[in-house]
Amino acid sequence: MKPAPSASEPAANFAPLTAKQAADKLADATGVTTLGHPADNTSSCSNKTLRKGPSPNDCSQLITTDTVSIYEFKTSAVAAHWVKSMKKQGDWRQVGRFALAFTARDQAMTSDDRRAELVAAMQKELTAES
């Protein structure tokens, strides 16, 4: 019998939450069908846009909606780096290895209560993931 994977070893069938999946789950958790016009803008948060090689600080995926932009990173440390450096551009909130940003024109209309609800829902999803 094969031993169960340890906490540091992911299970073979385990696929971590992606930004696209998070957008769908956050919509469901907040009682809406969609967060509004989801678009994959991953290329805008990587060195590929600058025609450079990949960077460890690139995002893994970026889904932009009318409500929030969901940035997925490989680690919490990279997410923290982005949130710290981008906060001067608007409201950025770190949730584990994700960053939720409310900096686009339509996103600026997302209420503080809804922002807090999205952060809490994201924290719940990541807790369920681990």
Side-chain angles (χ1 to χ4, degrees), residues 23-35 114 117-118 121:
D24 294 340
K25 289 180 180 285
L26 292 179
D28 186 52
T30 57
V32 295
T33 306
T34 177
L35 296 175
R114 176 63 90 182
E117 186 179 13
L118 290 165

Side-chain angles (χ1 to χ4, degrees), residues 112-127:
D112 287 337
D113 288 344
R114 176 63 90 182
R115 292 174 191 210
E117 186 179 13
L118 290 165
V119 168
M122 188 67 170
Q123 288 170 330
K124 186 176 179 179
E125 285 300 325
L126 290 179
T127 300

Side-chain angles (χ1 to χ4, degrees), residues 43-65:
S43 65
S44 68
C45 66
S46 74
N47 273 343
K48 290 179 187 175
T49 304
L50 303 172
R51 299 192 196 288
K52 295 181 178 181
S55 165
N57 289 331
D58 287 348
C59 75
S60 301
Q61 191 174 52
L62 165 58
I63 301 298
T64 305
T65 74

Side-chain angles (χ1 to χ4, degrees), residues 18-96:
T18 66
K20 171 67 175 116
Q21 292 167 331
D24 294 340
K25 289 180 180 285
L26 292 179
D28 186 52
T30 57
V32 295
T33 306
T34 177
L35 296 175
H37 303 98
D40 188 333
N41 290 311
T42 304
S43 65
S44 68
C45 66
S46 74
N47 273 343
K48 290 179 187 175
T49 304
L50 303 172
R51 299 192 196 288
K52 295 181 178 181
S55 165
N57 289 331
D58 287 348
C59 75
S60 301
Q61 191 174 52
L62 165 58
I63 301 298
T64 305
T65 74
D66 293 340
T67 307
V68 61
S69 291
I70 304 167
Y71 291 77
E72 174 192 355
F73 299 99
K74 288 181 178 48
T75 68
S76 296
V78 176
H81 169 77
W82 270 69
V83 168
K84 182 179 178 185
S85 61
M86 297 301 287
K87 270 201 177 243
K88 54 191 151 212
Q89 306 227 349
D91 188 2
W92 282 68
R93 302 177 189 200
Q94 180 188 356
V95 184

